[in-house]
Structure formats: structure tokens, C-alpha cells
Amino acid sequence: MATIGDLIKIINQEKLKVDKDLVRLAYDFAKDAHKGQVRKNGESYINHPLCTAITLAKYHLDQDTIIAGLLHDVPEDTDKSLADVKKEFGPNVAKLVEGITKLGKLKYRGIERYTENLRKMFVAMASDIRVIFIKFADRLHNLKTLDALESKKQERIARETLEIYAPIANRLGIWQLKGQLEDLSFKYLYTKDHKELKIALDKNFSERGDLLKELRLKVADMLKKEKIKIIEISGRTKDMWSLYRKLQAHNNELHRIHDIIALRIIVPEVADCYKALGVVHNKWRPITNRFKDYIAQPKPNGYQSLHTTVFCDRGKTVELQIKTLAMHQAAEYGIAAHWHYDEKGSIKLDEGLDWVQELSKWQKEIQDSKQYLDSLKIDVFQDRIFVFTPKGDVIDLPENSTPIDFAYHIHTEIGDKATTARVNNQIAALDSHLKSGDMVEIVIEKGRKGPNRDWLKFVKTRAARDKIKAGSPKGLWGTIASLRGKE
Ligand code: MN
């Protein structure tokens, strides 16, 4: 359980310009409003808004946002109304709380809800980006306490996070938060794979952890000798979901991934980055083709750093990432690293960043809902598609799956007895390729004996293949064999 003291501590540590008395007042107000309420995991309710506010403080959000984080569930879940919030904490806080309440109750089920959900996120973002930060912080804590919910709900929340929230966090450049959201969702959506990867990683870490410690000291020594100032040298581990995606592209061979653990070197100026790189390359030989200058040529999402992989002592390889503090913070906090407070203490974006305009441009790019889906999912789910049952449940299948794959995914009997399919209310062939966003319905013939072996020629999923083989009439040879068996 967090305490108000924890929140105040972060505010002090991060040197935020926040009226701490007002924050305490908001905490008391929320605690009183939620009095007697208990979350599914048994904690008293106030812990949830408090953890939400703590995340917001860690991301350097402003006073109104931190207070709104404390109050974000008050109008929805307590006797106190939005008007009460406005009376006590003013119209700015009330507006943020209203924004988050409006985003609230939508559940991710089916294509209609999906696009509706996305649309709401964009509207909220365009009106005040801070609402999205509150939503992310809220979701982060909900994911951390997901164990208490039933598995269907866990899956819905995890999938919504992976498909909607994480891509938006990515677009906003808040990569640290994106990584957390993804890794927490990963655990609930692909539990077995997550567990296996974790075991493999733990083994890898214990081998590499000591090496990294040793290298940290050596690099620090080398840079000091050349009089290069160091802000920080630390180990950084790749987020699990992004590692998982990368592994799928590399035949699941962990040893082929070079950046599972990297040494992150943070220095004051851009010139120091190149100096440090020179020092390191002078001592250790770089692996060809593994050097990337993302300072001169930032990644499309704006990421900047120098990356190099070197053979260090005893022939081991390690990735080094060299960047300035500003680059580091931009990567951690995203858009939140680009704002500052003016004399009046209200939040302003750095010059040259017309951020609302950027967003509305982005919004226009993807106005059409189909395009929404594609553009947002493109990075995350390259070889999966998402189709919907008539009830709006989401089914996730490999690319080029057919209505038969879908049918077997729903139920063996539906697969075995399938005769035709309707995709988006139109008759479709059983071997047609489904696309993300399709609504699929299977027509069955009750009296049908079993599946058609010809389906094996086009099905995509192993489940469908196995079930067709198991369920299909045996054919001539099978029949002869079984007759013989009877002799
Ligand atoms: Mn909440």
C-alpha cells in the first residue's frame, strides 16, 4: 500500500512545482469520498488513485494533473459529483476529471467498440493530452492489480492495452511507459510464452549480470582518463514484449539477439557522445554492421542515441548505448519531457513543438476506421489478424487465416459441421482470407458427419489442421484398414 508520504516524496525528489498542501487536500477529499470502498484485491480503494497520482508525478506532470489523478474515480464511483470537484479544486482540475470519466466505461468488445474507444482517445488527446497521461497511469495500476480479476476480464484489459494504449504511448514517445504497459499485458495474454521467456532470460541475466558490472567500472575508468564527464552508466534490459516480438523474427534463438542487456552511458553533450564512442572503439573492436548513429539520423519515432556492439574482454559481446541526458529523458518521458512551466506555473510546450497540431494531423491521417486499425497495429502485430464474432468477441489468428480456421478456433463442432461462412454479412468461401476487422459468422449443417479433408490444403492454424485430421472420414484406405481390423 502506498501512502500520501510516498507521493510527496516523489514531488520533492523530482522538484515539481506543486502546492503540496493542495495535493494533501485532494488526497483527503478522495479518501473520504471512497471511504469504505474496497478493490477486488482487498486493498482499500484510495490506494488506486494514489498510485495513479504517483505515476503522474514520476512522469513530471503538473499540479492539476496530479490532483486530477487523485480524484479521477470520484464522480464515477462515489457520492461526490464533478460539481463538488469543481467547487473544491477549480475548473481546470474538474475538466481533466471530466475527460477521464468520459473515457471511462467503454469496454473493448468488437469492432464498433474498438473504433469508438479509439475515437474517444483521440478526442480526449486533442482537447487535453494530460487526460491520456491520467488514463495511462490509471491503466498501469489496474494492470499491476489484474490478478484479482477473473480471467476473461484480465484478457480484455490486457488486449485493449496492447492494441490501443501501447501504440498510442509509442506514438507519443513515452517508451518507458509503453514498455511497462506491454510487458504487463504480455503476461496475461500469452501466459505460457511469457513464463518460458522469463526463465530463459533469468538464466541469461545471471550469466551477463556480472560481466555488465565489471564493464561498467572499466568504461567509467576509461572515460575518466579522457576527461569525459559521466552523468550515469547503467545496465538496461530489453523489455520483454519487444524481445518476444524480435525473437519471433529470429527463429526464437536467444543467442542471436544482441541487445538483451546493454550498457547505457549518459554524458552531458552531443560531442561527448562521439568522444566516448571513440574511446570505447579504441579499446574494444566493434562488430561490423552493429554500429548505428541515431544521433545524426534519428529513428522515425524520434529516438536518438549511438548504438554499438563490441567484443570486450574474453571475447564477449555487449551493446553500448551512448546518449545525452536530454536524449535519455526524451526517451523516458516522451512528450512530457518537452514541456515546462511558465511564470504563472501553468504548463507550456517547448517552442517549435506545436503538439496539438501534430496530433490533429495524425488524427486526419487515420480518420477512416479501417486505417486506424492498420496504422496503429502495424508495429505491434505484424503477422496476426483480429476478427470478430457476431457477438463482438475478438479472435486473434495468424495472417491469411480462413473461415475454417476461425470456426475451429470457436469450437471443434462448428469447424466439423461448417458449410458456408458469412464475412461482414456477405457469403464468403470457406478458403477465403480473413482480414483484421472482419466480422465472421459460420453456417453449420447439423447432420453433417465430419470435416472435409480438402480443407487441409488451405487452413493456416495447427489447431484446425489437427482437428480436420482427427475428425474426417477415413477415406478408402482408412476404411479398408478398419475392415481388415475386423476380420
Ligand atoms: Mn481508475
Side-chain angles (χ1 to χ4, degrees):
M1 287 281 286
T3 65
I4 179 67
D6 297 330
L7 176 56
I8 301 294
K9 208 170 110 194
I10 305 269
I11 291 172
N12 289 333
Q13 265 170 15
E14 306 292 321
K15 301 190 180 69
L16 305 182
K17 276 192 197 163
V18 168
D19 180 345
K20 283 168 259 182
D21 290 335
L22 201 58
V23 169
R24 283 181 198 276
L25 218 61
Y27 171 75
D28 290 338
F29 181 91
K31 195 176 168 193
D32 190 49
H34 289 293
K35 200 170 177 174
Q37 292 178 356
V38 176
R39 301 241 308 161
K40 278 259 163 59
N41 63 356
E43 289 171 4
S44 75
Y45 199 92
I46 189 64
N47 193 49
H48 167 67
L50 186 57
C51 288
T52 305
I54 286 174
T55 301
L56 292 167
K58 282 183 184 161
Y59 279 89
H60 298 185
L61 272 296
D62 67 326
Q63 174 175 306
D64 287 347
T65 313
I66 293 171
I67 290 176
L70 286 168
L71 304 173
H72 79 270
D73 281 329
V74 163
E76 191 71 41
D77 297 336
T78 77
D79 294 339
K80 293 264 190 275
S81 66
L82 191 64
D84 296 326
V85 169
K86 191 171 173 183
K87 210 174 101 204
E88 297 290 327
F89 300 98
N92 294 337
V93 169
K95 244 187 119 191
L96 291 170
V97 173
E98 188 185 10
I100 203 75
T101 308
K102 274 188 186 163
L103 263 179
K105 287 298 165 198
L106 208 69
K107 284 181 185 159
Y108 173 44
R109 275 178 76 92
I111 185 77
E112 292 295 321
R113 292 291 187 87
Y114 178 86
T115 44
E116 178 68 8
N117 204 338
L118 266 181
R119 202 181 55 75
K120 283 201 166 190
M121 294 283 281
F122 286 116
V123 171
M125 263 194 287
S127 63
D128 194 330
I129 188 67
R130 293 174 298 173
V131 171
I132 297 300
F133 274 89
I134 302 173
K135 189 70 197 167
F136 285 158
D138 172 48
R139 177 52 58 98
L140 188 65
H141 186 251
N142 284 337
L143 284 167
K144 284 180 181 168
T145 51
L146 211 54
D147 269 338
L149 301 189
E150 48 171 312
S151 65
K152 259 210 157 146
K153 258 192 168 169
Q154 289 177 346
E155 204 196 311
R156 175 180 67 73
I157 291 172
R159 198 175 289 291
E160 181 182 70
T161 307
L162 216 47
E163 292 186 8
I164 298 177
Y165 291 62
I168 292 174
N170 185 42
R171 285 301 281 258
L172 298 180
I174 325 158
W175 296 307
Q176 199 212 44
L177 189 59
K178 165 190 168 272
Q180 285 188 60
L181 292 171
E182 284 177 344
D183 284 5
L184 285 162
S185 308
F186 178 24
K187 190 174 125 195
Y188 290 98
L189 276 184
Y190 304 95
T191 310
K192 193 168 151 271
D193 289 355
H194 182 271
K195 206 184 260 171
E196 281 172 14
L197 184 58
K198 188 140 182 22
I199 291 168
L201 275 180
D202 284 345
K203 192 166 160 267
N204 197 288
F205 283 152
S206 58
E207 284 164 11
R208 313 224 356 147
D210 292 338
L211 173 73
L212 220 59
K213 247 186 244 163
E214 203 182 302
L215 285 179
R216 217 172 92 189
L217 295 175
K218 275 189 186 163
V219 170
D221 242 24
M222 283 152 57
L223 297 188
K224 265 181 211 151
K225 265 187 205 136
E226 301 298 322
K227 302 209 164 45
I228 300 169
K229 268 206 190 135
I230 302 163
I231 291 179
E232 192 190 306
I233 302 182
S234 58
R236 91 96 183 81
T237 50
K238 198 171 179 63
D239 290 324
M240 279 182 79
W241 176 251
S242 74
L243 175 60
Y244 178 65
R245 301 286 305 154
K246 200 164 180 176
L247 272 170
Q248 289 178 330
H250 287 83
N251 228 355
N252 266 322
E253 294 172 82
L254 207 57
H255 67 89
R256 287 177 61 193
I257 314 287
H258 291 284
D259 61 346
I260 298 174
I261 306 186
L263 201 62
R264 182 186 276 157
I265 302 164
I266 299 171
V267 292
E269 304 288 336
V270 172
D272 301 319
C273 294
Y274 290 101
K275 270 188 231 159
L277 180 76
V279 171
V280 172
H281 278 181
N282 192 28
K283 166 98 178 167
W284 293 315
R285 188 163 58 84
I287 297 183
T288 336
N289 296 333
R290 293 280 311 163
F291 169 63
K292 302 263 165 53
D293 186 346
Y294 294 123
I295 292 180
Q297 282 178 306
K299 283 193 188 181
N301 60 15
Y303 176 81
Q304 286 194 298
S305 179
L306 299 175
H307 287 192
T308 183
T309 306
V310 297
F311 291 103
C312 56
D313 306 339
R314 287 179 270 133
K316 301 253 185 201
T317 59
V318 66
E319 181 175 287
L320 307 173
Q321 305 180 345
I322 308 171
K323 57 187 96 175
T324 65
L325 186 61
M327 291 171 192
H328 175 60
Q329 285 180 337
E332 299 288 292
Y333 304 125
I335 191 74
H338 293 291
W339 57 43
H340 59 273
Y341 302 94
D342 66 9
E343 326 66 65
K344 282 184 238 138
S346 59
I347 208 158
K348 285 273 167 334
L349 277 168
D350 290 352
E351 264 176 53
L353 249 181
D354 194 349
W355 146 245
V356 174
Q357 209 189 334
E358 275 303 301
L359 251 186
S360 61
K361 239 197 281 171
W362 177 28
Q363 204 179 354
K364 268 191 211 102
E365 267 170 39
I366 46 183
Q367 223 147 37
D368 169 56
S369 64
K370 277 280 185 194
Q371 249 172 299
Y372 258 163
L373 240 109
D374 295 343
S375 75
L376 271 175
K377 279 192 187 138
I378 209 139
D379 308 319
V380 191
F381 293 107
Q382 252 160 10
D383 37 22
R384 304 294 290 179
I385 56 165
F386 295 86
V387 296
F388 300 91
T389 69
K391 279 190 199 149
D393 290 318
V394 185
I395 307 291
D396 137 39
L397 293 167
E399 228 167 39
N400 294 330
S401 285
T402 63
I404 290 295
D405 293 294
F406 173 88
Y408 277 107
H409 189 97
I410 302 288
H411 198 278
T412 306
E413 206 174 337
I414 295 191
D416 284 350
K417 299 193 168 170
T419 54
T420 42
R422 265 200 287 273
V423 175
N424 304 324
N425 292 318
Q426 307 242 310
I427 297 286
L430 290 176
D431 64 351
S432 57
H433 288 177
L434 299 174
K435 296 184 305 303
S436 260
D438 281 345
M439 200 262 276
V440 188
E441 205 176 338
I442 300 295
V443 181
I444 60 169
E445 186 190 309
K446 282 234 170 78
R448 197 185 162 114
K449 286 263 156 43
N452 184 341
R453 277 187 88 86
D454 286 345
W455 294 346
L456 288 171
K457 290 179 193 147
F458 59 75
V459 291
K460 197 75 187 154
T461 53
R462 190 154 88 214
R465 190 166 304 126
D466 291 349
K467 285 172 185 169
I468 294 165
K469 281 184 188 158
S472 56
K474 290 188 184 94
L476 190 57
W477 281 110
T479 311
I480 291 170
S482 59
L483 281 175
R484 280 196 182 141
K486 272 183 193 155
E487 283 174 3

